[in-house]
Amino acid sequence: MQKINAQFERLFIALLYFGALCIINLILFGRFLPDISLPSNIWFYVASIMIIFGTYLIEPFYSKPVDVISSSVVFITALLGVNNKEFFCWHYLIITGIFFLLLSIVIVILQPNKNERIRKFSEALFIVDTEIGKSTVLFSLLFLGALLTYFRSEPVKFILLLLFWFCLVSRLFDKLWVLVRRLAGLIKQDVKFDYVGKLIRMESSSLGVVECINSELKKNALVVIFYPDQSQKVALVIHSLLLNDRTWARIFFLDVDLNLNEFALITDKGTKIEEPKVYVLQDLPNSGALKTALEKNNIYKDLISLVGFISEQSNVKEIRFSILNPSNSIKEGQLIRVQVGEDSVLYQIIDGETSSQQLESGNKYGFIVGRARKIGKWNSEKHGFEMVRWLPQPHTPVFLVPSHAEEDKFLNFIGRVPGTDFSITLDCDRLVTHNVAILGILGIGKSYLAFEIISKLVKENIKVLCLDISGQYRVKLKDYGDYDVLEDEKFEHEIQAKLQPLHNKVQQNVADGGSLNEFRKLIKEDLRKFMVGAVKLKVYDPDKLTVYRQDSKLFSGTASMAELSTAEITRVISEQLLEIVKIMGATDEKARVCLVFEEAHSLIPEWNSAASEGDKAAANGTAKTILQGRKYGLGCMVVTQRTANVTKSILNQCNTIFAMRVFDATGMDFLSNYIGEDYTNALSTIEDRKAVIFGRASSSNSPLIIQLNDKDLYLKKLKEDRGTV
């Protein structure tokens, strides 16, 4: 027989019995409720009420010793309130009540006990106490005693009350209720269940493992688990595997508020379930309570995106999750969605590793555990990520964020999270005043990223001065902005013509010798015109600027001369630019000009990579310029494939980092201080046109792998926007 499990249903059945009790009292005695002062009515107020109350509310599934104690106390108290001389078997009944009261107390005292003999003795007493001492048995004795005492001379009343007691203890109303629901289920639906196996283990309150016996379970199948107490739960098959000719399945319990007794389920009718059995739901009904409940369930609605569940060793910064299907197209950089409290929080996959888990009888199965770093909650208004505190609960479902990119908004963003429409913006003022570095191996696309950033700075009316010894800026920049390459080449020829006669000029004062002072003056004037004029882009090639300084004191009318290195020319240009922006005044961290160091390892070398003491001093001088320039809107962009060879005095000032593919250990160590070891380790295998971005200029508060804009499509959009197609 199927029991009534829902609390509401048990209360409803109890009220039905109470109503029937009142009707019987009306028929037999002419009133709904009997006179409480009459001892003969003990059958109503104590015996019947306590049987109903105990069966459906206190002990619906099983009894405990404390329940027996409560029932015994009420039982004894009721007997003490009647005449012991006339009540049938009063002394035997009072002894029975005292016996179960004392027995229950002894059991409570003995449990738990580590002594094996005492424990077994206690378990035997427990069975006797809870099976015989439960309210149905005790108060049935009281009910029958009241009938034999007060109604044995009235056969009609005696028989009717005896029939009521039989209906009560046999739970006739329960059977009728289940029958009604079965009939209703046959009319409403034809839901078919097939037995497939047994639930062998619970991994958590929401995850379980099923051993399939009759047939295998397919992923995403719906199953129903029937427990020994006749309760049921709905679950979803999330993973299945064949191991040693046996099929195993992991199931996730759905929070579906539904009682399946309303359907025509006839499995195991009349048998006792000794272990949780699993049945598969063959066909989902087109309508009805089950379909409605499933459609409201968030996990079932988003099955196509479900990729796994939170596993052990997750923390507030990083989660680990077991991946259900290794064949899913999961890779580094993709976003996943996890519920943390009331927030839907985004994480980015950064790594994965293999693991295994014990099943039964020594069997193991292997699976993949993904690792993901917290990104935050997406704010569509601010177009950025907001941090969310704390971490998800164990075994929380993990969903892959759907893929659909917005390629028509290139000009507003620097890139997007791979496979999503979460686009990343740049704060151009912070990018410049807090400096930016683009790091990656040769040929990975650093310069094209720099070109794109330069075009965005120009669009924001921020001037850009590029120091480039590769020669590609003058070739490419004309496509990214209003750049006049002929004007810059003309200036180089003019300045070289003016400096040539001064290269060997010697002076008594060493500082006045050579062409260095004239170079400073000419560069400063050219930069002044650039800063106050309409031109926004300018490129210098330090390798094409030949400058000499006097290297010794005058002796016999001659002195040694030394040509300025690339690093020393870079310092001069930087210092002259700083002097000009100082004259223009402070900007309150508003960007005014960005100084780009292309092939930065040659322009601002690290001390151990410098060719001479002069280069060391030059790099330090340039670093000092960048440090002082922020107040006046001057910042820099460092572009290099040799992180180890660039002065850390400037790199450490770069508060925004674009890290592309990197292999060298020094570069990895430097980047790990910015973006963490997890993202740094991913850089050796990161794909082309992808980068890790982190810093004050990014709309993400955390390190993030982004898919950079396609350079050809971006350039096409840029030309369309400028009207130069």
Side-chain angles (χ1 to χ4, degrees):
M1 183 199 70
Q2 290 192 359
K3 295 182 180 180
I4 304 300
N5 301 306
Q7 185 175 358
F8 173 79
E9 291 184 338
R10 295 197 302 270
L11 179 60
F12 177 72
I13 299 296
L15 291 175
L16 285 180
Y17 275 114
F18 183 76
L21 188 62
C22 293
I23 293 173
I24 290 175
N25 198 74
L26 177 64
I27 295 172
L28 296 180
F29 304 102
R31 56 191 296 177
F32 279 105
L33 298 176
D35 187 353
I36 194 172
S37 64
L38 297 177
S40 61
N41 290 326
I42 191 175
W43 72 271
F44 185 103
Y45 283 112
V46 179
S48 299
I49 297 297
M50 287 304 297
I51 293 175
I52 296 171
F53 191 71
T55 302
Y56 292 99
L57 300 180
I58 298 179
E59 308 165 8
F61 303 117
Y62 55 87
S63 299
K64 303 185 292 294
V66 291
D67 298 328
V68 178
I69 291 174
S70 302
S71 298
S72 300
V73 170
V74 176
F75 182 81
I76 294 169
T77 304
L79 285 172
L80 292 175
V82 299
N83 189 330
N84 60 353
K85 292 183 179 180
E86 68 171 349
F87 200 89
F88 185 80
C89 295
W90 185 91
H91 293 90
Y92 294 106
L93 292 175
I94 203 77
I95 291 172
T96 302
I98 295 173
F99 171 78
F100 282 109
L101 175 62
L102 296 176
L103 181 62
S104 300
I105 293 173
V106 170
I107 293 172
V108 171
I109 294 173
L110 291 179
Q111 291 182 338
N113 197 297
K114 295 182 179 179
N115 186 287
E116 183 68 17
R117 290 184 177 180
I118 296 177
R119 185 179 62 79
K120 288 185 177 181
F121 178 68
S122 175
E123 289 176 356
L125 294 180
F126 179 90
I127 295 173
V128 174
D129 185 59
T130 56
E131 289 296 326
I132 303 177
K134 58 186 178 181
S135 59
T136 305
V137 176
L138 278 180
F139 292 103
S140 288
L141 295 176
L142 185 62
F143 187 97
L144 295 174
L147 288 188
L148 292 171
T149 301
Y150 302 114
F151 303 107
R152 63 186 175 205
S153 60
E154 301 179 68
V156 175
K157 293 181 180 179
F158 185 90
I159 294 173
L160 284 177
L161 291 176
L162 187 63
L163 287 174
F164 172 77
W165 169 79
F166 179 77
C167 292
L168 182 58
V169 295
S170 64
R171 305 183 71 163
L172 178 63
F173 284 7
D174 297 33
K175 297 177 181 179
L176 292 175
W177 178 251
V178 172
L179 179 61
V180 169
R181 288 190 310 185
R182 288 179 182 275
L183 293 174
L186 286 173
I187 296 172
K188 292 166 57 179
Q189 299 288 339
D190 183 16
V191 182
K192 297 180 180 179
F193 295 88
D194 285 342
Y195 175 68
V196 290
K198 60 183 179 179
L199 180 68
I200 61 170
R201 186 177 71 250
M202 290 296 295
E203 296 180 348
S204 71
S205 60
S206 56
L207 284 175
V209 177
V210 173
E211 180 185 359
C212 301
I213 298 174
N214 286 2
S215 61
E216 66 179 50
L217 283 173
K218 295 182 179 180
K219 183 183 176 184
N220 296 341
L222 282 172
V223 296
V224 182
I225 299 89
F226 289 87
Y227 292 90
D229 63 4
Q230 295 293 312
S231 62
Q232 310 115 14
K233 289 186 178 179
V234 181
L236 178 73
V237 178
I238 58 175
H239 180 61
S240 63
L241 69 155
L242 181 64
L243 191 64
N244 293 341
D245 296 325
R246 300 168 73 184
T247 301
W248 309 80
R250 293 178 74 205
I251 59 174
F252 182 82
F253 289 85
L254 299 175
D255 185 17
V256 174
D257 187 15
L258 183 69
N259 194 321
L260 292 174
N261 284 326
E262 70 178 82
F263 298 109
L265 179 63
I266 59 173
T267 308
D268 288 311
K269 182 177 180 181
T271 64
K272 183 178 180 180
I273 299 177
E274 296 181 351
E275 59 185 354
K277 294 188 176 182
V278 182
Y279 297 81
V280 63
L281 176 61
Q282 293 293 353
D283 299 303
L284 181 63
N286 295 324
S287 61
L290 178 57
K291 182 175 178 62
T292 302
L294 290 173
E295 288 176 345
K296 292 180 179 179
N297 186 272
N298 292 329
I299 298 172
Y300 190 79
K301 286 192 301 184
D302 207 6
L303 271 181
I304 193 171
S305 301
L306 181 65
V307 293
F309 294 85
I310 297 296
S311 58
E312 297 177 352
Q313 299 182 340
S314 297
N315 55 53
V316 293
K317 293 183 179 179
E318 176 186 303
I319 60 170
R320 293 170 178 259
F321 62 102
S322 55
I323 298 175
L324 300 179
N325 187 0
S327 63
N328 283 348
S329 55
I330 299 176
K331 51 188 176 182
E332 304 100 309
Q334 285 183 301
L335 283 193
I336 54 178
R337 171 173 54 84
V338 184
Q339 198 70 21
V340 179
E342 297 181 355
D343 295 317
S344 181
V345 183
L346 299 173
Y347 289 75
Q348 187 168 48
I349 300 173
I350 55 173
D351 202 355
E353 57 191 33
T354 58
S355 185
S356 63
Q357 189 169 3
Q358 191 85 20
L359 288 173
E360 196 178 59
S361 303
N363 289 320
K364 284 186 175 182
Y365 78 96
F367 56 96
I368 295 177
V369 175
R371 293 171 53 208
R373 288 290 296 269
K374 184 191 292 182
I375 303 302
K377 181 174 63 174
W378 179 253
N379 187 319
S380 56
E381 294 181 359
K382 296 181 179 179
H383 217 88
F385 294 99
E386 296 178 347
M387 289 305 297
V388 176
R389 298 185 182 277
W390 209 230
L391 70 163
Q393 294 293 324
H395 305 294
T396 300
V398 178
F399 299 94
L400 199 63
V401 175
S403 173
H404 50 287
E406 296 181 349
E407 295 188 350
D408 59 334
K409 297 183 179 180
F410 280 130
L411 303 184
N412 299 326
F413 311 121
I414 194 63
R416 64 180 185 274
V417 180
T420 74
D421 60 353
F422 295 120
S423 302
I424 304 303
T425 60
L426 293 177
D427 185 321
C428 290
D429 288 317
R430 287 184 173 181
L431 186 84
V432 174
T433 58
H434 291 78
N435 309 306
V436 58
I438 302 175
L439 312 175
I441 62 172
L442 183 66
I444 198 64
K446 300 184 302 297
S447 295
Y448 284 105
L449 175 57
F451 298 155
E452 183 175 335
I453 293 175
I454 288 171
S455 70
K456 295 181 186 300
L457 296 179
V458 170
K459 190 176 180 180
E460 295 295 321
N461 293 316
I462 299 172
K463 293 181 181 289
V464 181
L465 174 63
C466 306
L467 303 185
D468 170 42
I469 60 176
S470 68
Q472 61 177 330
Y473 275 57
R474 286 181 175 171
V475 176
K476 299 290 185 181
L477 272 185
K478 63 180 182 296
D479 295 327
Y480 288 85
D482 296 325
Y483 173 61
D484 189 349
V485 61
L486 296 177
E487 187 65 27
D488 282 347
E489 290 178 344
K490 177 183 177 183
F491 170 75
E492 279 184 359
H493 289 115
E494 291 177 351
I495 195 173
Q496 286 300 105
K498 293 178 180 179
L499 295 179
Q500 180 67 34
L502 304 176
H503 287 337
N504 296 314
K505 185 183 76 171
V506 296
Q507 295 289 332
Q508 187 68 37
N509 184 3
V510 175
D512 295 333
S515 55
L516 177 57
N517 287 339
E518 183 66 15
F519 175 68
R520 287 195 181 103
K521 184 176 69 173
L522 294 173
I523 283 291
K524 185 174 184 179
E525 177 60 21
D526 190 56
L527 290 175
R528 185 192 66 79
K529 293 178 181 179
F530 170 63
M531 291 303 300
V532 299
V535 176
K536 296 178 182 178
L537 268 175
K538 192 168 191 63
V539 179
Y540 288 148
D541 184 348
D543 278 353
K544 293 184 178 180
L545 297 174
T546 304
V547 183
Y548 282 84
R549 57 180 170 80
Q550 189 172 322
D551 198 37
S552 66
K553 292 183 178 180
L554 185 65
F555 180 75
S556 299
T558 62
S560 61
M561 309 298 289
E563 184 178 354
L564 267 64
S565 66
T566 301
E568 289 172 320
I569 291 176
T570 299
R571 175 183 183 178
V572 172
I573 296 173
S574 303
E575 290 176 340
Q576 298 309 308
L577 183 60
L578 176 62
E579 287 188 18
I580 293 170
V581 295
K582 279 184 176 181
I583 296 173
M584 298 175 73
T587 63
D588 193 22
E589 295 198 7
K590 189 75 174 174
R592 179 178 276 149
V593 58
C594 180
L595 183 57
V596 179
F597 299 113
E598 175 65 46
E599 303 289 350
H601 48 277
S602 297
L603 304 178
I604 44 175
E606 180 65 300
W607 63 272
N608 56 0
S609 301
S612 64
E613 290 298 322
D615 281 1
K616 293 180 183 179
N620 289 334
T622 304
K624 184 178 179 180
T625 297
I626 299 302
L627 180 64
Q628 296 176 351
R630 174 183 168 188
K631 180 179 178 181
Y632 306 99
L634 168 63
C636 73
M637 181 192 301
V638 176
V639 185
T640 184
Q641 69 264 25
R642 301 179 188 175
T643 309
N645 298 339
V646 178
T647 176
K648 301 307 179 290
S649 298
I650 290 181
L651 270 182
N652 288 334
Q653 295 182 54
C654 295
N655 286 335
T656 300
I657 299 288
F658 286 89
M660 305 174 84
R661 193 179 305 146
V662 174
F663 294 123
D664 67 287
T666 305
M668 302 277 261
D669 290 341
F670 170 78
L671 286 169
S672 65
N673 295 324
Y674 278 85
I675 61 178
E677 291 186 5
D678 294 325
Y679 277 101
T680 302
N681 293 336
L683 291 177
S684 60
T685 57
I686 197 169
E687 300 175 18
D688 290 354
R689 300 304 299 166
K690 286 186 179 179
V692 176
I693 180 175
F694 179 58
R696 300 204 53 181
S698 170
S699 59
S700 171
N701 294 320
S702 304
L704 192 65
I705 297 176
I706 64 170
Q707 176 73 54
L708 298 172
N709 294 329
D710 182 278
K711 60 183 179 66
D712 295 328
L713 291 176
Y714 176 82
L715 194 56
K716 179 182 178 182
K717 292 286 185 181
L718 182 63
K719 290 181 177 180
E720 291 175 356
D721 185 62
R722 293 169 52 204
T724 58
V725 178

